[in-house]
Amino acid sequence: MTSADSDFDPDLIGFRPLTRGDLPQMHRWINQDPEVHQWYWPDAGPYEQLVVKYEPRLSGDTSTRSYIITYRSHSIGHIQDYLIDDHPGWARVVGAEERAAGVDMFIGEPEYRGGGRGTAILRKFVRQIVFARSDVESCVIGPDAENARAIRCYEKAGFRFYKTEIEPETGRSDYLMRLSRRAVFATGR
């Protein structure tokens, strides 16, 4: 990070839709960065596996919306949202009583981790993207229960512990956290 970036400006955070051209960088982040690999996709494999996972998102064949996180127009990570009801198995696990969206994220460029950057990214994304869906009343994020850094980041963004559950696909323990629309817009976060 340059010295100019030591004064991180949340106004310079952006989100652009994931494109096919982003997939090699996504693959690099997921497979070569130990922190991303451990917490985001620990069983990630070859590039072709990534393409199979993200192709439906690129073609619009799923309700999951994937974005590249940018800062000063540089790609620094990935974030996505989806309607929990569109994933019945996960919806049963989450058990949200209201219309809820799920969010997953990682910062792929290590120099952009820490210093409140992840919190600023998540706050902006929730306000501008997730709650732009007028029918979404809450947002749920589920870091691995062992990922203390992510949990602290999400707490600072306003998310609160909801419950711990085992993720059906991976068998990992998810520390589910929830943030309501009302809380976001009442506090101005």
Side-chain angles (χ1 to χ4, degrees), residues 19 23 34 41 65 68 73 80 92 114 118 120 135 144 148 154 172 175 177:
T19 68
L23 295 182
W41 194 359
R65 303 181 306 175
I68 291 294
S73 301
Q80 64 187 19
R92 282 189 295 279
D135 63 336
D144 186 290
Y154 304 156
R172 293 172 60 151
Y175 186 89
M177 304 173 79

Side-chain angles (χ1 to χ4, degrees), residues 40-97:
Y40 189 75
W41 194 359
D43 60 344
Y47 179 75
E48 295 74 25
Q49 182 182 7
L50 180 111
V51 171
V52 167
K53 180 174 181 164
Y54 286 93
E55 179 63 35
R57 299 165 196 195
L58 298 172
S59 62
D61 292 339
T62 179
S63 64
T64 300
R65 303 181 306 175
S66 292
Y67 300 87
I68 291 294
I69 304 164
T70 62
Y71 185 71
R72 295 183 185 254
S73 301
H74 293 92
S75 301
I76 65 167
H78 172 262
I79 194 164
Q80 64 187 19
D81 75 326
Y82 56 92
L83 296 174
I84 290 177
D85 288 344
D86 289 346
H87 305 273
W90 186 233
R92 282 189 295 279
V93 169
V94 171
E97 295 175 8

Side-chain angles (χ1 to χ4, degrees), residues 122-132 139 159 179 184:
L122 187 55
R123 282 182 182 156
K124 189 168 189 176
F125 186 77
V126 167
R127 285 183 69 82
Q128 290 186 351
I129 306 292
V130 175
F131 289 128
C139 183
F159 284 79
L179 177 66
V184 168

